[in-house]
Amino acid sequence: MQTNLSYILLFCCIFFARTGFSQEKKTSKDVISSEKEIDSVFSKKDTILNAKNNSLFLKEKDTTTTDSIKPKETVEDIITHIAKDYTIQNAKERTVTLYNEANITYTDIDLKAGIIIVDYKKNTLFAKGIIDSTGYVQRPVFKQGNQESEQDSMIYNFKSKRAIIYGLKTKQGEMFTYGTKTKRVNDSTVYVRKIRFTTSEKKIPDYYIGTDKAKLVPGKKIIVGFSNLVLADVPTPLVIPFAYFPITETSVSGFLFPTFDTGSSPRGIGLQNGGYYFAINDYVDLAIQGDAWSNGSWGARMNSNYKKRYRFSGSFSLNFENIINGIRGFDDFSRANNFNIRWSHSQDSKASPNSRFSASVNLGSSRFFRESLNQFNISQSQTNTFNSSVNYSKKFVGTPFNMNVAATHQQNTNTGVITMTLPSLNLTMDRLFPFAGKGGIQKTPIQKMGFNYNMQGQYLINTTDDDFFTSRMFETARSGIQHSTSTSTNIKAFKYFTLSPSANYEEIWHFDFIDQNYDPAENVVVTDTLRGFKTYREYNASVSLSTTVYGRFEFKKGRLKAIRHTFRPTVSYNYRPDFRERYVRQVQQSADASDLREYTIFDQGIFGGPSAGLSNSVGITLNNVLEAKLAPKDPDSDEEDEKITLLNNLNFNSSYNFAADSLRWSPVTMSAGTRLLKDKLAINFNGSLDPYQVNERGIRINKFNPNILRLTRANLTANYSITSKDLEKNKKDKKEDKNSNGNQDVGDIIGADINPTDQFGQRKNINTAPEDQNKEAQLYRAKVPWTINLAYSANYTNNGVDPGEIGVHSLMFSGNLELSPKWKLGYSSGYDIKNGGFTFSRFNFSRDLDSWQFNFNWVPFGAQSSYTFFIGIKSSVLSDLKWDKVRPPDRRLF
């Protein structure tokens, strides 16, 4: 983290040079001419008070013999004035003196001050503050249009609209300007002596850039001469010969100067993020940037944002990097080309109520975030999937039909496998009740009978990272359309039961199919993909019988009054013929002519082949819920009984297939979940129980287990979150803490996520109230808000041959700690109990320095071991006044 003075001076010069080019093109010659202009203005004698000596105040000599035009009055409008204490009018001298909370309005001018003196003879007004026991107060506040300034005193001329101001304080955008002596030439030009620029809102600013002379064009620019950076009133050796501050409120095209990389990576010395910003119009912009390193590595980026109010908004980015490691000709030399494309688009809900278009695209090279030299994103490097979707949906008004067209993309960054649908079309029909009575009445089973329809078409591409964006990615593409329709109704049976029959029909269209042949020369089965239209159909029917049973267990002692058990059993019957048999073909798979294998031409189709085997099965589902009722702690209180949930669910599911020749029982699946400790601890469990044994190869055989059921799979997860507020004893204490000075509701703050790549250190999901911006820490019995999130996960597998083993057994923890109102610490880590070691860990430190921000993000160990250090100005106007240091993780190519 060490740097030398020459580097800082060079950086500062580049910063101010960048400031000059980011909004408008300005040369040093223009700035020097402005400095001469400032000197000439201040070298002239102040002529605001004396109209005779001011050439701007003299009337032009009439070249005609007579002038029939009446001279224009100097005072163009009524001057309205009020004062709290007194108003003195001097008719002889033509002056008006206002004292204490004086206020004058004239055209678009509004002036407030302690003392105001209006001189109608000289066409001027003089304003200053007053001195009382608290000091110099009621300083003049001058407003004209949308411009406002505060000063120690001022003189303003109505006729020329010129002014001399002492002790100026004004704000242009995010920039505060303090000047000792100011001359306002007209509405668009102001010259200032002994000026300070800062974005700090404090009375005594944290820092400022001081200069002897400056020219200010309100709302456009500030040009200054020789300047010096001052921190906490201590001058620093950072000086520049001139500076140009753009303060336009609209975006303007300009250069983006690069930052230096002093060799923190094995690519050597480099320049990053240099380029040009195009302010195309009010709706869209474009930034093109590039990187270059001394070993030949380079990168290019394009970023664009667009927005149209009440219509849509979005952003697009394209990144490409050519990364070189090592030296050409040596064994460790390697090269990689990585890219990443991102697109986000959202439509305003007011734009079209019956149709919507949205996009969320993230695709590119699988190793982009692991190897990138500029995209230091820890979160992205830890994910192993990229997902994208582009959707258009439409509701056809007046019809029951809805349409959705989507293009999707899923990419596994570990295996490099990519799956895409280009596109996927889904047409659905809302459920119709054609036999319903008048007004939609549905009383009888026939009236309750409903029909629906769904059509899904897909063009599916399965490829790899190497074949992406090549012609080979289309060679294995599959396409097809699936039509499905169903009908169902329900009947009340035996008063307490509900009988629900249903029927389903499905038709599959494939536009490609396979043909398999044996190749005796290679002794392999060759599969050919043929193009053509093939189709098959399926149908099934089912009926289910369900009811709900309530059980109540009451208690006479203690607070526990009762436990209620809700039991929902369901028995279903399903019948489906064997549709595969009529499409089965045989192919020889070895030199033995009798060694045959069955297949269908639809086996590799997008929707698979026909269902195999006759299904004539009965399914059993058991759902359970346990609830309790607790009496109030105080029996004499008027509080109601408290209801709590003991088990959110306890479910069992299995089936028995009468048509199967063996293994008729399917495995029993179970799941359970509950929430404890005032809903802060969530526990979920699921597993699978097999009634059959397995042979020495792990294959199920038609023989029951001695212990009836064998646990084959189990998974347990638990999540618990606690904050410092949860430890407060009662609601009264919470109310007192909320209303006390120096304390605030920190429920949102300590749970905020600090983005390690956000150089401005802004925390997400925080709405900081104005009174909290300058909050002070308590030094005696100060509270330290904190939060802890714990997550436990474990799974168990048993194949019936080898002893069962625990696959995952880990404890994860994360949280935030507010050491002081402006010191924040965030952390996330975990411990692998099975393998005995810490998982990926990250620590975030943040310090709010009012107008400055400090961030330090650290990954202490592992493949992503790295850190980022940043300290800089919060304001976007001077965002380049910063110092950051990055030690990226090892970017060796894989």
Side-chain angles (χ1 to χ4, degrees):
M1 293 188 181
Q2 295 180 350
T3 184
N4 53 47
L5 179 59
S6 60
Y7 175 72
I8 295 178
L9 291 174
L10 180 59
F11 160 77
C12 197
C13 290
I14 290 295
F15 153 67
F16 280 108
R18 175 182 174 180
T19 309
F21 282 97
S22 61
Q23 300 291 338
E24 297 180 6
K25 296 179 181 179
K26 196 73 175 179
T27 64
S28 59
K29 181 178 179 181
D30 297 327
V31 177
I32 295 172
S33 63
S34 297
E35 293 183 22
K36 294 180 179 179
E37 183 181 354
I38 297 171
D39 289 333
S40 64
V41 170
F42 279 100
S43 62
K44 294 180 180 179
K45 183 179 179 181
D46 294 341
T47 57
I48 291 180
L49 293 178
N50 191 349
K52 294 182 179 180
N53 296 328
N54 192 336
S55 60
L56 292 178
F57 294 166
L58 297 177
K59 297 181 180 178
E60 296 182 4
K61 186 175 180 180
D62 194 357
T63 58
T64 62
T65 56
T66 61
D67 189 358
S68 61
I69 301 175
K70 184 179 179 180
K72 186 177 180 181
E73 295 289 342
T74 302
V75 180
E76 301 174 356
D77 201 353
I78 298 174
I79 299 178
T80 304
H81 53 79
I82 58 174
K84 183 177 180 180
D85 284 359
Y86 61 79
T87 300
I88 300 176
Q89 297 187 9
N90 189 327
K92 181 179 180 180
E93 300 293 335
R94 299 184 64 191
T95 63
V96 177
T97 303
L98 311 175
Y99 184 81
N100 195 8
E101 297 184 9
N103 180 214
I104 281 184
T105 56
Y106 168 70
T107 61
D108 62 340
I109 295 173
D110 185 354
L111 176 62
K112 296 178 181 179
I115 299 175
I116 299 177
I117 301 175
V118 183
D119 192 328
Y120 289 96
K121 184 185 296 184
K122 297 180 179 179
N123 302 318
T124 63
L125 63 81
F126 170 72
K128 67 177 182 177
I130 58 178
I131 299 176
D132 61 11
S133 59
T134 61
Y136 190 65
V137 297
Q138 296 188 36
R139 286 178 169 84
V141 177
F142 183 85
K143 293 183 181 179
Q144 185 172 20
N146 58 356
Q147 299 177 25
E148 179 178 350
S149 64
E150 180 181 339
Q151 42 271 318
D152 290 340
S153 62
M154 67 174 295
I155 304 173
Y156 179 76
N157 188 287
F158 290 110
K159 185 176 181 180
S160 65
K161 295 186 179 180
R162 290 188 172 191
I164 294 180
I165 303 170
Y166 297 91
L168 171 70
K169 176 185 177 183
T170 185
K171 184 178 182 182
Q172 298 290 331
E174 297 179 89
M175 184 81 72
F176 289 93
T177 303
Y178 300 88
T180 304
K181 183 179 179 181
T182 305
K183 281 191 176 183
R184 174 174 173 168
V185 177
N186 50 49
D187 291 342
S188 61
T189 306
V190 178
Y191 298 95
V192 190
R193 281 286 193 186
K194 299 294 183 181
I195 191 170
R196 297 177 296 164
F197 300 100
T198 183
T199 58
S200 176
E201 299 182 2
K202 293 182 177 180
K203 187 175 181 181
I204 301 177
D206 298 326
Y207 79 99
Y208 62 85
I209 298 172
T211 185
D212 287 336
K213 49 192 175 182
K215 176 182 177 181
L216 185 149
V217 180
K220 292 184 178 180
K221 56 191 174 183
I222 301 174
I223 302 174
V224 302
F226 189 85
S227 304
N228 175 226
L229 176 65
V230 179
L231 302 177
D233 286 336
V234 178
T236 68
L238 301 180
V239 295
I240 52 173
F242 62 88
Y244 174 76
F245 299 95
I247 52 175
T248 55
E249 297 180 358
T250 58
S251 299
V252 181
S253 301
F255 289 101
L256 302 174
F257 273 77
T259 57
F260 290 101
D261 183 353
T262 56
S264 59
S265 67
R267 263 62 66 183
I269 299 175
L271 296 173
Q272 291 182 280
N273 302 318
Y276 196 84
Y277 175 79
F278 298 90
I280 300 175
N281 52 43
D282 293 339
Y283 306 105
V284 61
D285 66 356
L286 174 66
I288 298 178
Q289 296 173 279
D291 311 324
W293 280 269
S294 57
N295 78 328
S297 300
W298 60 273
R301 282 175 306 287
M302 180 181 70
N303 297 278
S304 179
N305 297 281
Y306 58 89
K307 182 175 183 179
K308 190 171 184 180
R309 184 177 295 182
Y310 307 126
R311 299 287 294 180
F312 54 79
S313 63
S315 62
F316 177 83
S317 68
L318 171 62
N319 297 268
F320 181 86
E321 292 187 358
N322 176 43
I323 306 174
I324 298 175
N325 266 345
I327 301 175
R328 190 183 301 274
F330 287 80
D331 294 337
D332 61 346
F333 176 80
S334 58
R335 179 196 297 269
N337 293 327
N338 292 329
F339 72 95
N340 181 260
I341 300 174
R342 287 194 171 194
W343 178 33
S344 175
H345 179 92
S346 62
Q347 177 180 308
D348 194 294
S349 58
K350 305 180 185 66
S352 177
N354 299 313
S355 63
R356 185 170 183 82
F357 178 80
S358 63
S360 176
V361 176
N362 181 16
L363 60 87
S365 304
S366 297
R367 299 190 296 268
F368 178 79
F369 288 101
R370 300 177 188 174
E371 298 178 356
S372 174
L373 305 177
N374 206 326
Q375 300 291 322
F376 179 53
N377 192 316
I378 294 294
S379 300
Q380 286 287 347
S381 67
Q382 295 301 300
T383 59
N384 56 9
T385 57
F386 289 164
N387 295 284
S388 305
S389 66
V390 180
N391 292 277
Y392 173 76
S393 60
K394 181 175 179 60
K395 179 176 178 61
F396 297 95
V397 181
T399 71
F401 292 97
N402 304 282
M403 181 186 70
N404 184 78
V405 181
T408 63
H409 153 265
Q410 296 86 33
Q411 180 176 353
N412 189 308
T413 59
N414 291 331
T415 62
V417 175
I418 300 174
T419 303
M420 306 177 68
T421 58
L422 299 174
S424 172
L425 172 64
N426 193 16
L427 180 66
T428 62
M429 183 184 73
D430 296 335
R431 194 171 184 83
L432 299 179
F433 298 90
F435 306 111
K438 293 183 179 180
I441 297 176
Q442 301 173 14
K443 291 184 177 180
T444 66
I446 297 297
Q447 292 177 337
K448 295 179 181 179
M449 183 176 295
F451 296 84
N452 61 15
Y453 168 78
N454 181 74
M455 187 269 285
Q456 183 180 7
Q458 283 188 6
Y459 182 77
L460 181 66
I461 297 175
N462 288 301
T463 184
T464 62
D465 207 17
D466 296 332
D467 295 337
F468 198 36
F469 284 146
T470 66
S471 60
R472 293 191 299 272
M473 67 182 289
F474 298 99
E475 294 178 357
T476 58
R478 300 288 183 265
S479 59
I481 299 177
Q482 180 187 56
H483 304 269
S484 61
T485 182
S486 65
T487 180
S488 64
T489 186
N490 61 81
I491 307 169
K492 203 70 175 179
F494 307 109
K495 190 176 180 179
Y496 299 107
F497 294 88
T498 300
L499 188 66
S500 302
S502 64
N504 301 278
Y505 174 82
E506 190 174 89
E507 183 170 323
I508 308 297
W509 296 354
H510 281 168
F511 300 100
D512 45 68
F513 58 94
I514 64 171
D515 183 39
Q516 294 184 348
N517 296 283
Y518 175 68
D519 184 357
E522 300 291 337
N523 193 28
V524 294
V525 176
V526 179
T527 301
D528 296 322
T529 301
L530 307 177
R531 304 300 177 184
F533 179 75
K534 299 291 181 179
T535 181
Y536 68 88
R537 298 158 189 83
E538 289 186 357
Y539 56 84
N540 67 78
S542 63
V543 61
S544 65
L545 184 68
S546 62
T547 187
T548 301
V549 180
Y550 297 96
R552 183 181 177 90
F553 307 92
E554 297 185 352
F555 301 88
K556 297 182 179 180
K557 295 182 179 181
R559 289 187 60 203
L560 183 60
K561 296 181 65 175
I563 292 179
R564 187 175 75 166
H565 177 208
T566 304
F567 177 54
R568 295 185 178 90
T570 301
V571 178
S572 61
Y573 173 75
N574 179 274
Y575 179 82
R576 187 204 66 222
D578 185 359
F579 295 98
R580 182 181 175 85
E581 184 178 1
R582 59 179 298 186
Y583 298 103
V584 168
R585 295 183 179 183
Q586 291 183 337
V587 59
Q588 180 181 337
Q589 61 179 350
S590 67
D592 184 0
S594 61
D595 185 10
L596 302 177
R597 185 179 69 187
E598 294 182 346
Y599 77 98
T600 71
I601 61 175
F602 305 105
D603 282 351
Q604 295 183 12
I606 188 172
F607 297 108
S611 301
L614 173 65
S615 177
N616 185 19
S617 62
V618 173
I620 302 173
T621 301
L622 304 176
N623 297 334
N624 299 269
V625 176
L626 286 178
E627 299 171 298
K629 181 181 289 187
L630 296 178
K633 294 181 179 180
D634 185 2
D636 299 329
S637 66
D638 296 332
E639 296 180 7
E640 296 182 355
D641 294 339
E642 181 183 1
K643 295 180 181 179
I644 61 174
T645 301
L646 301 179
L647 275 177
N648 289 339
N649 60 83
L650 177 59
N651 306 326
F652 300 90
N653 193 317
S654 186
S655 64
Y656 183 84
N657 189 359
F658 294 99
D661 56 358
S662 62
L663 304 175
R664 293 182 174 181
W665 282 103
S666 66
V668 179
T669 59
M670 63 170 296
S671 63
T674 186
R675 300 186 71 89
L676 305 174
L677 303 179
K678 297 182 179 181
D679 290 341
K680 289 192 172 294
L681 176 62
I683 302 176
N684 292 281
F685 174 82
N686 61 76
S688 178
L689 303 168
D690 195 343
Y692 295 105
Q693 298 182 22
V694 296
N695 59 20
E696 62 277 2
R697 293 180 297 173
I699 301 175
R700 299 172 72 204
I701 59 176
N702 194 31
K703 186 177 181 180
F704 288 107
N705 287 299
N707 298 326
I708 304 179
L709 295 175
R710 173 175 54 87
L711 181 65
T712 59
R713 175 187 58 83
N715 183 63
L716 174 66
T717 61
N719 296 275
Y720 181 71
S721 178
I722 185 173
T723 69
S724 56
K725 289 185 64 179
D726 297 328
L727 301 184
E728 297 180 6
K729 295 182 179 179
N730 51 52
K731 296 181 179 179
K732 182 178 179 180
D733 292 337
K734 292 180 181 180
K735 185 176 180 180
E736 292 175 354
D737 290 337
K738 184 176 181 180
N739 295 332
S740 62
N741 294 327
N743 289 286
Q744 64 173 359
D745 187 356
V746 295
D748 292 334
I749 294 180
I750 59 177
D753 178 27
I754 299 177
N755 186 356
T757 63
D758 185 357
Q759 294 184 334
F760 297 106
Q762 297 175 356
R763 291 164 287 142
K764 298 179 181 178
N765 303 325
I766 300 176
N767 295 321
T768 305
E771 61 271 14
D772 294 334
Q773 293 180 356
N774 295 315
K775 59 183 179 178
E776 297 180 357
Q778 292 184 354
L779 300 180
Y780 176 67
R781 293 183 178 177
K783 292 187 178 181
V784 180
W786 52 267
T787 182
I788 297 178
N789 304 307
L790 301 174
Y792 173 79
S793 178
N795 65 36
Y796 171 84
T797 56
N798 187 346
N799 59 12
V801 178
D802 301 322
E805 64 174 358
I806 295 177
V808 175
H809 192 203
S810 60
L811 175 67
M812 286 76 71
F813 52 88
S814 64
N816 295 278
L817 182 65
E818 189 174 347
L819 301 174
S820 74
K822 296 188 178 183
W823 263 111
K824 305 290 186 284
L825 166 65
Y827 58 91
S828 62
S829 185
Y831 188 77
D832 189 340
I833 301 174
K834 177 184 177 182
N835 299 317
F838 283 95
T839 60
F840 175 76
S841 302
R842 181 173 60 187
F843 299 90
N844 305 318
F845 302 89
S846 176
R847 170 64 171 167
D848 186 354
L849 299 170
D850 295 328
S851 55
W852 293 65
Q853 180 71 34
F854 161 76
N855 283 335
F856 180 71
N857 307 286
W858 180 37
V859 179
F861 49 79
Q864 296 296 324
S865 176
S866 58
Y867 69 79
T868 61
F869 171 86
F870 169 84
I871 185 170
I873 303 241
K874 291 181 181 179
S875 172
S876 60
V877 176
L878 297 177
S879 60
D880 284 323
L881 190 56
K882 64 182 181 180
W883 181 35
D884 52 4
K885 181 70 176 178
V886 177
R887 200 214 75 178
D890 188 0
R891 302 297 197 187
R892 288 177 296 179
L893 306 183
F894 295 93

